[in-house]
């Protein structure tokens, strides 16, 4: 193998040679093996919707210009991207449904492993959803909140919007979306409708297909908001906590267990049970007991709630095993590489799937069910301890690379920090500083890692440009992981990279909040399902200023968007009015009509639009310009 390692992460660079010497293929090798990737697929011009296909449209105009059924390039591209939005919505919303169903059972007292850890938030949500709270038992309210949330999967009345979206966006935005006919009434029905309308011989009008996709993307937002908020109720609303990130958090003197995926239902219980089983690990010879580390978005979930260190983000999940000191990797759902068990087999690592709907060939499977959560957690931890005893000391190679990260900035935590400056009106300091220009605007970094670019690099380049221009930075998902690993979630990064006025504001807030220095340069808002937290902050700002979200100097950036979930997130970002940067080339450019629809067309319809730019420096400067234009529009 002749390795080309597309990463900026020093830990990954340190571990790839281990893979090479062991003859193990990693994501970077498999990327090389796929070159050149199919041009038709890259442009979105390959249709496999029926078995007369696959059909491909010639992008140069010489060959076929329609599929066998007559579908044009515009129809084919629109259907492909719309189906991606539906898949993203389905993935986030399955996660949300899982959490809501669990909370319903907590309300009935049927799941002793779980509690309501944030009752205040429960009651706030109940009021927001119009549920009676006066003199009511907490568990009854929890049951009703979960049931009302599940209505968003069941309602058949097209005139009634989903409960969560209706109570989460500014009225002006809801009116605009309603007028366009893109507000979902039911998450499941919206996903099913997209699959139906994109079946062969159905909706072939590209804009109509795409707007159907936008409704799916807004269903994704609804599922995401619901999943985030109910998780906070059950597991606690994040508040700032200091931890560490990158592969050096794996400890050779401990039983190391990585939790990887997205859904916190099992990982939360693993954290609880690990404390009880620490002595068993010590008795097996691990001087420091059990060390839980996070990967990907399950990693973000446990990091922001418990300060569990983050081992790495999506693209480098295989690297944790290459350290030779990872005893188990426990997998739940989404963004998990099917290659993990093969790599685990080259070491002593137990790779354990836990979701019956998400299994991987040759992985050990422990079927997780909430009613058996404690037993399930004990079982996987015991597998890890047993594996620890089989470790080969000669294979241990943990690069001593890690960074401090201050994480856990939920919307509530941000408001609480601001309240230290103005207890009666916490939003006022933020609004005042945006209006007076000390903070020029806000950028939300979301999304994945992708082999199409250099891992984590664009995040850093763009963030440094925006910060120097006094733009407040928020991050979720693998973007948050990137910033944590590269030391940009620290007060020191603020001192080094923030423009003078932004630095002054972050310092004033940080010192008032008792942090003895500025807030970190990038505020960690959670996993990729937690983008709704940033929307909550933006909605509060818009309501306060009496404007729509598209008027605000707020942008989103997904420099390494890769998954169908990321396509859904970016699409609802556009639909709620945000200029949304994509740093990887979306698979739509085979259709001028769809590409134009996502840019100028979307701008006219929604105020938000896709800004496609693969060069991070150019992208950063373009986002600064967008923020300036938005400020001009507001007259500030
Ligand atoms: Fe080809 Fe039409 Fe079938 Fe797509 S739906 S594979 S374009 S015949
Ligand atoms: S895990 S969707 S690679 S953010 Fe949330 Fe990361 Fe993207 Fe998966």
């Amino acid at each position: 193998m002749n390795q080309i390692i597309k990463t900026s992460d020093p830990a990954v660079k340190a571990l790839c040679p281990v893979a090479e010497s062991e003859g193990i293929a990693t994501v970077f090798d498999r990327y090389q093996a796929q070159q050149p990737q199919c041009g038709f697929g890259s442009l979105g011009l390959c249709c496999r919707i029926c078995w007369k296909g696959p059909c491909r449209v010639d992008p140069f105009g010489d060959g076929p210009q329609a599929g066998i059924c007559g579908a044009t390039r515009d129809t084919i591209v629109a259907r492909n991207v719309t189906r991606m939005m539906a898949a993203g919505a389905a993935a986030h919303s399955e996660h949300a449904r899982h959490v809501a169903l669990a909370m319903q059972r907590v309300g009935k007292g049927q799941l002793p492993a779980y509690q309501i850890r944030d009752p205040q938030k429960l009651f706030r949500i109940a009021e927001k959803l119009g549920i009676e709270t006066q003199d009511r038992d907490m568990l009854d309210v929890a049951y009703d909140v979960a049931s009302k949330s599940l209505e968003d999967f069941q309602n058949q009345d097209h005139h009634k919007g989903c409960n969560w979206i209706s109570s989460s966006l500014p009225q002006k935005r809801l009116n605009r979306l309603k007028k366009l006919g893109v507000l979902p009434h039911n998450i499941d029905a919206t996903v099913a409708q997209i699959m139906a309308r994109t079946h062969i011989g159905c909706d072939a009008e590209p804009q109509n297909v795409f707007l159907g996709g936008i409704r799916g993307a807004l269903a994704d937002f609804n599922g995401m908001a619901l999943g985030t908020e109910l998780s906070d109720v059950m597991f606690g609303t994040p508040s700032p906590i200091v931890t560490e990130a990158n592969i050096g958090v794996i400890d050779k003197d401990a039983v190391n267990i990585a939790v990887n995926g997205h859904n916190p239902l099992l990982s939360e219980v693993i954290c609880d049970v690990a404390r009880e089983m620490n002595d068993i690990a010590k008795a097996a010879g691990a001087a420091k007991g059990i060390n839980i580390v996070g990967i990907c978005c399950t990693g973000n979930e446990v990091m922001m709630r418990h300060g569990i260190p983050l081992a790495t983000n999506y693209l480098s999940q295989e690297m944790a095993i290459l350290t030779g000191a990872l005893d188990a990797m426990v997998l739940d759902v989404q963004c998990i590489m099917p290659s993990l068990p093969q790599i685990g087999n080259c070491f002593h690592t137990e790779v354990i799937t836990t979701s019956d709907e998400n299994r991987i060939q040759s992985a050990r499977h422990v079927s997780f069910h909430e009613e058996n959560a404690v037993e399930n957690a004990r079982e996987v931890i015991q597998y890890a301890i047993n594996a620890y005893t089989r470790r080969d000391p000669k294979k241990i190679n943990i690069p001593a690379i890690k960074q401090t990260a201050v994480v856990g900035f939920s919307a509530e935590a941000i408001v609480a920090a601001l309240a230290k400056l103005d207890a009666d009106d916490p939003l006022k300091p933020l609004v005042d500083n945006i209006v007076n220009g000390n903070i020029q605007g806000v950028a939300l970094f979301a999304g994945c890692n992708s082999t199409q670019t250099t891992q984590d690099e664009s995040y850093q380049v763009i963030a440094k440009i925006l910060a120097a221009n006094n733009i407040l930075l928020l991050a979720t998902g693998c973007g948050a992981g990137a910033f944590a690993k590269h030391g940009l979630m620290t007060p020191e990064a603020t001192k080094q990279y923030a423009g003078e006025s932004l630095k002054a504001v972050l310092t004033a807030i940080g010192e008032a909040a008792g942090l003895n220095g500025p807030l970190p340069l990038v505020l960690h808002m959670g996993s990729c399902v937690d983008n709704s937290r940033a929307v909550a902050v933006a909605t509060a700002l818009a309501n306060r200023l009496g404007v729509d979200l598209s008027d605000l100097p707020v942008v989103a950036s997904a420099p390494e968007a890769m998954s169908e979930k990321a396509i859904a997130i970016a699409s609802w970002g556009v639909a709620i009015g945000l200029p949304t940067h994509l740093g990887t080339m979306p698979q739509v450019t085979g259709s001028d009509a769809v590409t134009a629809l996502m840019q100028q067309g979307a701008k006219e319809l929604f105020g938000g639009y896709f800004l496609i730019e693969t060069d991070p420096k150019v992208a950063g400067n373009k986002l600064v310009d967008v923020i300036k234009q938005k400020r001009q529009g507001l007259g500030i």
Side-chain angles (χ1 to χ4, degrees), residues 164-241:
W164 275 89
I165 205 165
S166 307
S167 58
S168 300
L169 293 182
Q171 198 53 49
K172 282 189 181 174
R173 181 54 33 177
L174 288 168
N175 295 345
R176 188 161 179 172
L177 295 173
K178 191 166 185 191
K179 226 163 137 191
L180 289 166
V182 293
L183 274 181
H185 69 290
N186 170 327
I187 296 169
D188 286 347
T190 305
V191 171
Q193 187 203 58
I194 289 174
M195 298 313 285
R197 73 194 293 169
T198 56
H199 182 274
I200 176 172
C202 295
D203 198 357
E205 203 288 308
Q207 175 159 331
N208 207 44
V209 172
F210 186 77
L211 288 179
I214 291 289
R215 190 184 296 129
L218 288 163
D220 177 86
F221 171 75
N222 196 86
M224 183 174 282
L226 181 175
T228 297
E229 302 294 284
L230 299 196
S231 293
D232 281 357
V233 168
M234 287 213 292
F235 307 123
T237 304
S239 57
I241 189 163

Side-chain angles (χ1 to χ4, degrees), residues 47-55 66-71 76 79 200-201:
C47 182
R48 286 171 40 251
I49 277 178
C50 89
W51 283 0
K52 298 196 301 307
C55 296
I68 296 168
C69 67
I76 291 173
R79 287 195 307 213
I200 176 172

Side-chain angles (χ1 to χ4, degrees), residues 92 261-262 295-298 300 313-315 334-336 446-449 459 476-479 527-529 560-566 569:
H92 279 137
H262 281 77
I295 294 181
C296 215
C297 282
T298 299
N300 279 316
N313 52 353
Y314 168 76
L315 205 62
Q334 299 167 17
C335 302
I336 294 160
C448 319
N449 279 154
Y459 284 107
T476 59
C478 290
S527 69
C528 56
V529 84
E560 297 189 45
M562 164 283 294
S563 71
E564 290 161 318
K565 291 181 294 167
I569 295 168

Side-chain angles (χ1 to χ4, degrees), residues 24 35 109 186 188 233 258 305 339 393 400 418 570 581 627 631:
I24 295 170
Q35 301 311 309
N186 170 327
D188 286 347
V233 168
R305 293 205 175 88
S339 58
L418 291 166
H581 163 242
I627 295 264
R631 293 186 65 85

Side-chain angles (χ1 to χ4, degrees), residues 98-120:
H98 201 158
V99 174
L101 286 170
M103 190 162 134
Q104 222 181 15
R105 292 168 71 196
V106 170
K108 285 282 177 209
Q110 293 167 347
L111 293 180
Y114 301 91
Q115 301 95 42
I116 301 299
R117 290 209 171 129
D118 191 342
Q120 280 100 352

